[in-house]
């Protein structure tokens, strides 16, 4: 058994340059590789195999073989092994937390260690759901026994992002495996090594080929995976533009697809809200500790005009007290942006705000002064006000630590602004009035609505959006049943 290695630099060196196919670490068939950046220093922290169609071919072929044997096990046997994967991951929380912190720049204490724990929890949760792979009986007539049974879809292709890479991978891999499928994952270019480590650990428990992982660039490696004829289901988390490409690839083959895409999630603070709780909720909801790199980030905060100025003062004071610094330092609340591309994207939107008459850009907290971090991708969190909901910064997903605060006068106006977006992923409403809360729950158009709280997504809570935010729910029993099984109708004539 592999023992935890809590030196992320040493672990990254060990894992550099490989895919994991058929139970073994293997380099890219082309021999190509690419650097993985440490965003806190700007230096490479390792490198990854640059996969292409040839690697996809080998990985899918191995997965197809493994799937047939796996599907022949009973559901409970599969579930037990998947739950055991979760317990193994629990022993590696510190190791995985440190590796993802180094690779993605997310602070260890506030984000990365939390991700590693919830990753383990997802495998334990789905492992326990194996006996729920049930069909139903149908009262069709009295001369037959009519039922539905659930069968695995086959080999699942999973394409994942970098912001919560291990956990978002788990939400696909764990239910797919329990349902009797094999999975080939394509990791994100910015965070391949932490996911490779998870795969390596789980391959100590799972049969070879059942869970393969490839690293590489989106079009060169993810493209052939999505298009592969033996991939019977594609599950994707990422940007809207890539989601459309994936959806087209699925349409070509007529296979089902799950898409978890972007958001521009509103947080509505009514005039009677408990302001202090709402400020806490804004800090969590906006994921300031993750530099706002979350599709559910409360990136539009609609505040009743009577509370607007005070809310901004209190939120700024709260964020000012947070410490930006080395992601691996326990004292750090906020780490870095993940990549130079994302860094430029945030700068672009801030420039757009600066060019706008009346915009008020409140930059909070302070950049680190340690010379070792001088090339790090640190950005001060921004509370932006004085822009309307029609502004580009309020309509497009920035995926950085920028939240827009917009005043409103009436409930109707608030709901109108909240729903006036191409996205429909998450929303919250803050009020002490029960009927306002219930109206908000009904009228906010989003897949995940909360009242007077802003918790992050957890196993068992169905998660996913409408409109450009995607198709399908993850993280729950229905995600396993709907996304990773086929339903077969069976009629047994008893006459
Ligand atoms: P982001 O802009 O946040 O990186 P992307 O949607 O580009 O979001 O990336 C999410 C995942 O999709 C990554 O694993 C990436 O490599 C992959 N990807 C990007 N482009 C394609 C593509 N054309 N085909 C398949 N996968 C892709």
């Amino acid at each position: 058994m592999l023992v935890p290695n809590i030196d992320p630099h040493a672990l990254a060196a060990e894992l550099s340059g490989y895919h994991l196919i058929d139970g073994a670490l293997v380099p890219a068939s082309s021999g190509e590789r690419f650097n993985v950046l440490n965003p806190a220093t700007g230096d490479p922290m390792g490198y990854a195999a640059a996969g292409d169609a040839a690697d996809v071919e080998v990985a899918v072929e191995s997965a197809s073989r493994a799937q047939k044997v796996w599907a022949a096990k009973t559901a409970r046997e599969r579930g037990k092994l998947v739950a055991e994967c979760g317990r193994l991951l629990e022993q590696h929380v510190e190791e995985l937390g440190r590796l993802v912190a180094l690779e993605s720049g997310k602070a260890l204490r506030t984000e990365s260690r939390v991700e590693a724990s919830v990753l383990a929890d997802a495998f334990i949760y789905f492992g326990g759901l194996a006996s729920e792979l049930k069909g139903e009986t149908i009262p069709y007539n009295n001369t037959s026994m009519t039922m539905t049974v659930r069968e695995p879809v086959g080999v699942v292709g999973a394409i994942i992002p970098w912001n919560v890479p291990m956990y978002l991978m788990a939400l696909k891999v764990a239910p797919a495996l329990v349902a009797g499928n094999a999975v080939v994952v394509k990791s994100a270019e910015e965070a391949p090594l932490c996911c490779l480590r998870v795969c390596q650990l789980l391959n100590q428990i799972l049969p070879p080929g059942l869970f393969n992982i490839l690293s590489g660039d989106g079009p060169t490696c993810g493209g052939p995976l999505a298009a592969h004829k033996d991939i019977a289901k594609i599950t994707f988390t990422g940007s809207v533009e890539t989601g459309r490409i994936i959806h087209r690839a699925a349409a070509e083959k007529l296979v089902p697809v799950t898409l978890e895409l972007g958001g521009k999630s509103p947080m509505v603070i009514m005039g009677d809200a408990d302001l202090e709780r709402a400020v806490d909720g804004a800090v969590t909801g906006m994921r300031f500790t993750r530099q706002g790199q979350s599709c559910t980030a409360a990136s539009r905060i609609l505040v009743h005009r009577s509370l607007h100025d005070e809310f901004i003062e209190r939120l700024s004071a709260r964020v000012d007290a947070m410490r930006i610094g080395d992601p691996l330092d326990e004292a750090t609340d906020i780490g870095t942006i993940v990549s130079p591309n994302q860094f430029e994207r945030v700068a672009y939107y801030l420039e757009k705000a600066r060019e706008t008459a009346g915009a008020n850009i409140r930059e909070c907290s302070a950049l680190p002064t340690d010379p070792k971090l001088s090339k790090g991708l640190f950005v001060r969190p921004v509370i932006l006000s004085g822009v309307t909901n029609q502004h580009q910064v309020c309509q497009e997903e920035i995926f950085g630590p920028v939240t827009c605060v917009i005043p409103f006068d009436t409930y109707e106006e608030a709901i109108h602004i909240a729903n006036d977006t191409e996205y429909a992923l998450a929303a919250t409403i803050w009020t002490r009035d029960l009927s306002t809360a219930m109206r908000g729950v009904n009228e906010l158009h989003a897949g995940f609505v909360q009242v007077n709280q802003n918790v992050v997504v957890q196993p068992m809570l169905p998660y996913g959006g409408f409109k450009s935010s995607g198709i399908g729910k993850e993280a729950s029993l229905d995600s396993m049943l709907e996304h990773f099984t086929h339903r077969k109708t069976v009629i047994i004539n008893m006459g």
Side-chain angles (χ1 to χ4, degrees):
M1 274 286 179
L2 292 162
V3 293
N5 180 350
I6 61 164
D7 175 352
H9 294 278
L11 190 53
E14 254 176 56
L15 294 166
S16 276
Y18 298 114
H19 303 308
L20 197 147
I21 303 175
D22 218 37
L25 290 171
V26 291
S29 56
S30 66
E32 296 291 318
R33 56 198 213 183
F34 61 93
N35 278 337
V36 183
L37 193 73
N38 171 358
T41 60
D43 300 322
M45 49 80 74
Y47 54 92
D52 60 20
D55 300 305
V56 167
E57 197 56 47
V58 182
V60 174
E61 201 267 327
S62 134
S64 299
R65 253 183 289 122
Q67 192 269 331
K68 292 182 182 61
V69 182
W70 180 244
K73 288 185 185 294
T74 67
R76 288 292 315 279
E77 279 175 321
R78 295 195 302 259
K80 277 183 194 162
L81 284 175
V82 169
E84 200 180 316
C85 290
R87 287 190 291 275
L88 175 66
L89 291 171
E90 278 180 332
Q91 293 162 29
H92 289 260
V93 164
E94 189 58 26
E95 163 197 283
L96 292 168
R98 297 174 77 81
L99 186 58
V100 74
L102 179 68
E103 196 170 33
S104 71
K106 293 192 301 182
L108 177 61
R109 177 176 52 81
T110 55
E111 287 288 337
S112 292
R113 200 179 276 128
V114 180
E115 180 187 348
S117 313
V118 77
L119 157 80
D121 189 35
F123 278 88
I124 292 170
Y125 166 73
F126 279 109
L129 291 182
S131 52
E132 296 303 314
L133 287 158
K134 299 170 191 159
E136 58 202 345
T137 54
I138 298 169
Y140 168 52
N141 61 27
N142 294 334
T143 56
S144 69
M145 171 70 83
T146 305
M147 64 190 121
T148 60
V149 291
R150 292 195 178 268
E151 296 181 343
V153 295
V155 182
V156 171
I159 298 178
I160 58 167
W162 46 263
N163 62 330
V164 202
M166 303 184 297
Y167 179 54
L168 296 179
M169 176 171 78
L171 293 186
K172 301 176 185 311
V173 173
L177 293 182
V178 173
N181 306 284
V183 189
V184 179
V185 172
K186 207 294 280 173
S187 58
E189 297 87 316
E190 296 82 354
L193 300 179
C194 57
C195 292
L196 176 63
R197 178 62 168 176
V198 172
C199 184
Q200 184 192 34
L201 292 171
L202 300 199
N203 266 268
Q204 297 179 107
I205 293 175
L206 301 170
L210 199 63
F211 173 15
N212 293 331
I213 190 163
L214 305 170
S215 48
D217 149 79
T220 318
C221 187
L225 179 63
H228 196 286
K229 66 177 180 18
D230 294 333
I231 292 293
K233 155 86 193 185
I234 311 170
T235 170
F236 170 79
T237 301
S239 64
V240 177
E241 305 82 66
T242 309
R244 291 201 172 98
I245 295 172
I246 299 290
H247 207 174
R248 280 195 285 272
E252 279 303 319
K253 302 194 296 180
L254 285 175
V255 298
V257 62
T258 310
L259 302 173
E260 294 296 343
L261 309 177
K264 198 74 188 176
S265 299
M267 168 171 183
V268 178
I269 304 174
M270 300 303 297
D272 68 340
D274 177 334
L275 194 59
E276 206 47 32
R277 276 179 71 186
V279 169
D280 284 343
V283 172
T284 331
M286 183 49 210
R287 313 279 190 271
F288 279 115
T289 52
R290 201 190 298 159
Q291 291 279 43
Q293 299 172 131
S294 162
C295 26
T296 31
S299 49
R300 293 182 303 140
I301 306 186
L302 319 183
V303 190
H304 190 267
R305 200 174 297 279
S306 62
L307 300 176
H308 179 265
D309 294 352
E310 194 185 345
F311 173 79
I312 291 180
E313 286 314 314
R314 289 206 207 177
L315 181 61
S316 311
R318 191 70 61 85
V319 182
D320 269 334
M322 296 170 87
R323 181 168 164 171
I324 307 177
D326 181 348
L328 285 164
D329 184 341
E330 294 287 343
T332 295
D333 297 301
I334 299 175
T336 71
I337 296 286
V338 73
S339 67
N341 270 352
Q342 284 300 124
F343 190 82
E344 278 162 28
R345 183 183 172 96
V346 176
Y348 166 84
Y349 283 105
L350 284 178
E351 196 47 43
K352 289 284 160 200
R354 282 199 184 92
E355 289 165 0
T356 307
N360 181 2
I361 299 171
R362 181 81 71 98
E363 290 182 281
C364 301
S365 192
L367 294 178
T369 49
D370 182 345
K372 286 203 294 292
L373 304 176
S374 62
K375 288 190 282 152
L377 303 174
F378 297 96
V379 175
R380 296 175 70 194
V382 173
I383 299 165
L384 177 64
S385 55
V387 290
T388 69
N389 190 52
Q390 297 315 317
H391 195 289
Q392 198 181 353
V393 292
C394 295
Q395 288 295 320
E396 295 176 16
E397 191 177 37
I398 300 176
F399 229 69
V402 182
T403 192
C404 306
V405 181
I406 304 169
F408 66 86
D409 291 300
T410 64
Y411 167 85
E412 285 73 20
E413 189 190 356
I415 297 295
H416 173 77
I417 298 172
N419 290 340
D420 188 10
T421 160
E422 72 164 302
Y423 298 105
L425 187 55
T428 62
I429 182 161
W430 300 71
T431 175
R432 288 188 169 97
D433 182 69
L434 182 61
S435 55
T436 308
M438 293 310 292
R439 274 185 75 190
V441 166
N442 279 342
E443 293 171 21
L444 284 166
H445 193 54
F448 196 79
V449 178
Q450 301 182 63
V451 177
N452 293 334
Q453 65 159 34
N454 219 332
V455 301
V456 298
V457 178
Q458 285 159 35
M460 118 177 161
L461 301 174
Y463 172 73
F466 320 135
K467 291 162 68 179
S468 292
S469 292
I471 299 173
K473 295 281 190 203
E474 291 198 305
S476 54
L477 171 62
D478 54 315
S479 80
M480 178 174 79
L481 300 179
E482 298 304 316
H483 301 327
F484 298 115
T485 69
H486 289 312
R487 227 147 50 111
K488 181 185 275 180
T489 305
V490 179
I491 309 176
I492 302 170
N493 189 325
M494 300 188 300

